[in-house]
Coordinates of all heavy atoms in Angstrom, one line a residue:
R107 N -12.9 18.6 -16.8 CA -11.4 18.7 -16.9 C -10.8 17.6 -16.0 O -11.3 17.3 -14.9 CB -10.9 20.0 -16.4 CG -9.4 20.2 -16.8 CD -8.9 21.6 -16.4 NE -8.9 21.8 -15.0 CZ -8.7 23.0 -14.4 NH1 -8.6 24.1 -15.2 NH2 -8.7 23.2 -13.1
V108 N -9.8 16.9 -16.5 CA -9.1 15.8 -15.8 C -8.6 16.2 -14.4 O -8.1 17.4 -14.3 CB -8.0 15.3 -16.8 CG1 -7.0 16.3 -17.1 CG2 -7.3 14.1 -16.2
F109 N -8.8 15.4 -13.5 CA -8.4 15.6 -12.1 C -8.8 17.0 -11.6 O -8.0 17.9 -11.2 CB -6.9 15.4 -11.9 CG -6.5 14.0 -11.7 CD1 -6.0 13.2 -12.7 CD2 -6.7 13.4 -10.4 CE1 -5.7 11.8 -12.5 CE2 -6.4 12.1 -10.2 CZ -5.9 11.3 -11.3
T110 N -10.1 17.3 -11.7 CA -10.6 18.6 -11.2 C -11.9 18.4 -10.4 O -12.8 17.7 -10.9 CB -10.9 19.4 -12.5 OG1 -9.7 19.7 -13.2 CG2 -11.5 20.8 -12.1
G111 N -11.9 19.0 -9.2 CA -13.1 19.1 -8.5 C -13.4 17.9 -7.6 O -14.5 17.6 -7.3
D112 N -12.3 17.1 -7.2 CA -12.6 16.1 -6.2 C -11.4 15.9 -5.2 O -10.4 16.7 -5.4 CB -12.9 14.7 -6.9 CG -11.8 14.2 -7.7 OD1 -10.7 14.8 -7.8 OD2 -11.9 13.2 -8.4
S115 N -7.9 15.2 -6.7 CA -7.2 16.3 -7.4 C -6.7 17.3 -6.3 O -5.7 17.9 -6.5 CB -8.1 17.0 -8.4 OG -9.4 17.1 -7.9
D116 N -7.4 17.4 -5.2 CA -6.9 18.3 -4.1 C -5.5 17.9 -3.7 O -4.6 18.7 -3.6 CB -7.8 18.2 -2.9 CG -9.2 18.9 -3.1 OD1 -9.3 19.6 -4.1 OD2 -10.1 18.7 -2.3
F119 N -2.8 18.2 -6.7 CA -2.4 19.6 -7.0 C -1.7 20.3 -5.9 O -1.0 21.2 -6.1 CB -3.6 20.4 -7.6 CG -3.7 20.1 -9.1 CD1 -4.6 19.1 -9.5 CD2 -2.9 20.7 -10.0 CE1 -4.6 18.8 -10.8 CE2 -2.9 20.4 -11.3 CZ -3.8 19.4 -11.8
Q130 N -0.5 26.7 -9.5 CA -1.3 26.8 -8.2 C -1.6 25.4 -7.6 O -1.4 24.4 -8.3 CB -2.7 27.5 -8.5 CG -3.5 26.7 -9.5 CD -4.7 27.6 -10.1 OE1 -4.6 28.8 -10.3 NE2 -5.9 26.9 -10.3
N131 N -1.9 25.4 -6.4 CA -2.1 24.1 -5.8 C -3.5 23.6 -5.6 O -3.9 22.9 -4.6 CB -1.3 24.0 -4.5 CG -1.6 25.0 -3.5 OD1 -2.6 25.8 -3.7 ND2 -0.9 25.1 -2.4
Y132 N -4.4 24.1 -6.5 CA -5.8 23.6 -6.5 C -6.3 23.5 -7.9 O -5.8 24.1 -8.8 CB -6.7 24.5 -5.6 CG -6.6 26.0 -6.1 CD1 -7.6 26.4 -7.0 CD2 -5.7 26.8 -5.6 CE1 -7.5 27.8 -7.4 CE2 -5.7 28.2 -6.0 CZ -6.6 28.6 -6.9 OH -6.5 29.9 -7.4
S133 N -7.3 22.6 -8.1 CA -7.9 22.4 -9.4 C -9.4 22.1 -9.1 O -9.8 21.0 -8.8 CB -7.2 21.1 -10.0 OG -8.0 20.7 -11.2
I134 N -10.2 23.2 -9.2 CA -11.6 23.1 -8.8 C -12.6 23.2 -9.9 O -13.6 22.5 -9.9 CB -11.9 24.1 -7.7 CG1 -11.4 25.5 -8.0 CG2 -11.4 23.6 -6.3 CD1 -11.8 26.5 -7.0
N135 N -12.3 24.0 -11.0 CA -13.1 24.0 -12.1 C -12.4 24.5 -13.3 O -11.2 25.0 -13.2 CB -14.4 24.8 -11.8 CG -14.1 26.3 -11.6 OD1 -13.4 26.9 -12.3 ND2 -14.6 26.8 -10.5
D138 N -10.5 28.1 -13.2 CA -9.8 28.5 -12.0 C -8.4 29.0 -12.2 O -7.6 29.3 -11.3 CB -9.7 27.3 -11.0 CG -9.0 26.1 -11.6 OD1 -8.4 26.2 -12.7 OD2 -9.1 25.0 -11.0
L140 N -5.8 27.4 -13.7 CA -4.8 26.4 -13.6 C -3.9 26.3 -14.9 O -4.5 26.2 -16.0 CB -5.4 25.0 -13.3 CG -4.4 23.9 -13.2 CD1 -3.5 24.0 -12.0 CD2 -5.2 22.5 -13.1

Side-chain angles (χ1 to χ4, degrees):
R107 192 175 67 193
V108 58
F109 277 99
T110 298
D112 61 5
S115 42
D116 289 346
F119 278 94
Q130 60 193 38
N131 56 8
Y132 55 92
S133 169
I134 45 176
N135 63 51
D138 60 10
L140 177 67

